[in-house]
């Protein structure tokens, strides 16, 4: 992409133009999920208390759908920017991977809650609430969101290599993994660059062909 464009700025523009619609649609749905969960839990919860306990079943189903949707988000955006898929295909793949890799998916989501859990413990059990707020805010302003996205992207790229890229002809697999051949290729590239930078040898005057008189 960089070679065919006028720079990274042009690459970003083209990627934003190509992906903003599915990304915006997914963000809109994700923003509605908490509202829908609140409405459903409030409605079915009140119905379960006033009429029948059977209404607990749809309440639990709504909660499960919301949780699964949130777990799917780990796989949605990397697919949007990586593969030429319709939004329906992105959701289908994300659902299958979220369920198929359920332990790791849940584990990474719980790992993202560790800073918040530490903040809650320090705030509630110690008199250092103000310092906890400052450190918590600085953490997310500086590195928190980026670190979470980096960890999730590293994991999802590995999942894509195993489940998607192996089914695509010509797709590179294991691009983020270190192998010994990388050092050999880098060394060959450096030697080739050094050889290209060396000036060409001038012909020897004694052995140079002379012009006919």
């Amino acid at each position: 992409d960089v070679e065919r464009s006028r720079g990274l700025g042009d690459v970003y523009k083209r990627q934003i133009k190509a992906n903003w619609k599915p990304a915006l649609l997914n963000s809109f749905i994700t923003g509605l999920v908490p509202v829908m969960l609140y409405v459903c839990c409030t409605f079915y919860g009140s119905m379960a208390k006033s009429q029948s306990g059977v209404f607990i079943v749809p309440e639990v189903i709504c909660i499960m759908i919301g949780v699964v949707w949130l777990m799917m988000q780990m796989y949605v955006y990397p697919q949007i920017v990586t593969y030429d898929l319709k939004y329906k295909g992105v959701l289908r793949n994300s659902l299958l991977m979220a369920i198929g890799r359920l332990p790791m998916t849940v584990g990474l989501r719980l790992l993202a809650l560790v800073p918040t859990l530490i903040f809650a413990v320090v705030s509630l059990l110690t008199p250092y609430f103000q310092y906890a707020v400052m450190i918590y805010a600085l953490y997310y302003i500086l590195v928190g969101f980026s670190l979470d996205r980096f960890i999730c992207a590293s994991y999802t790229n590995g999942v894509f290599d195993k489940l998607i890229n192996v089914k695509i002809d010509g797709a590179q697999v294991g691009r983020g993994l270190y192998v010994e051949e990388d050092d050999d290729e880098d060394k060959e590239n450096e030697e080739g660059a050094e050889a290209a930078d060396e000036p060409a040898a001038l012909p020897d005057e004694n052995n140079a062909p002379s012009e006919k008189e």
Side-chain angles (χ1 to χ4, degrees):
D1 287 341
V2 177
E3 294 178 355
R4 296 195 304 266
S5 63
R6 290 171 292 181
L8 288 177
D10 187 58
V11 173
Y12 292 144
K13 290 179 181 179
R14 289 190 288 108
Q15 291 298 324
I16 292 173
K17 184 178 179 180
N19 301 314
W20 73 271
K21 290 182 180 179
L24 184 61
L25 175 60
N26 188 77
S27 299
F28 177 75
I29 297 175
T30 304
L32 288 180
V33 168
V35 179
M36 298 301 296
L37 282 177
Y38 174 77
V39 172
C40 292
C41 291
T42 302
F43 174 75
Y44 289 120
S46 62
M47 294 293 289
K49 292 179 181 179
S50 61
Q51 296 188 14
S52 174
V54 178
F55 287 96
I56 295 179
V57 176
E59 182 180 4
V60 173
I61 292 176
C62 291
I63 295 175
M64 291 178 61
I65 293 175
V67 172
V68 171
W69 177 267
L70 294 178
M71 290 192 300
M72 289 169 53
Q73 299 312 300
M74 184 187 302
Y75 305 95
V76 170
Y77 291 103
Q79 286 186 89
I80 290 176
V81 301
T82 305
Y83 302 103
D84 186 13
L85 286 172
K86 294 183 178 180
Y87 185 63
K88 184 185 298 185
V90 171
L91 293 183
R92 176 181 175 276
N93 291 342
S94 300
L95 176 61
L96 294 176
M97 286 184 284
I99 296 176
R101 301 277 175 164
L102 188 61
M104 283 298 298
T105 303
V106 174
L108 289 177
R109 291 298 84 200
L110 294 177
L111 180 63
L113 297 177
V114 170
T116 303
L117 179 62
I118 295 175
F119 165 73
V121 171
V122 174
S123 301
L124 296 175
L125 302 181
T126 67
Y128 304 108
F129 174 76
Q130 295 180 346
Y131 297 103
V133 172
M134 292 174 54
I135 295 174
Y136 183 73
L138 286 175
Y139 169 76
Y140 275 102
I141 291 173
L142 298 177
V143 298
F145 294 109
S146 300
L147 181 60
D148 178 60
R149 290 293 89 199
F150 174 75
I151 294 174
C152 291
S154 301
Y155 171 71
T156 54
N157 285 337
V159 175
F160 295 164
D161 276 348
K162 294 180 180 180
L163 301 180
I164 298 179
N165 293 344
V166 293
K167 300 179 181 179
I168 301 176
D169 295 335
Q172 296 182 0
V173 179
R175 290 172 295 177
L177 301 178
Y178 169 81
V179 291
E180 294 182 358
E181 287 78 3
D182 291 342
D183 289 339
D184 297 335
E185 292 179 0
D186 293 340
K187 187 178 295 183
E188 292 177 359
N189 293 334
E190 292 177 359
E191 292 176 354
E194 292 177 357
D197 292 338
E198 292 180 356
L202 297 175
D204 189 355
E205 293 181 357
N206 297 326
N207 296 329
S210 57
E211 295 181 357
K212 292 182 179 180
E213 296 180 357

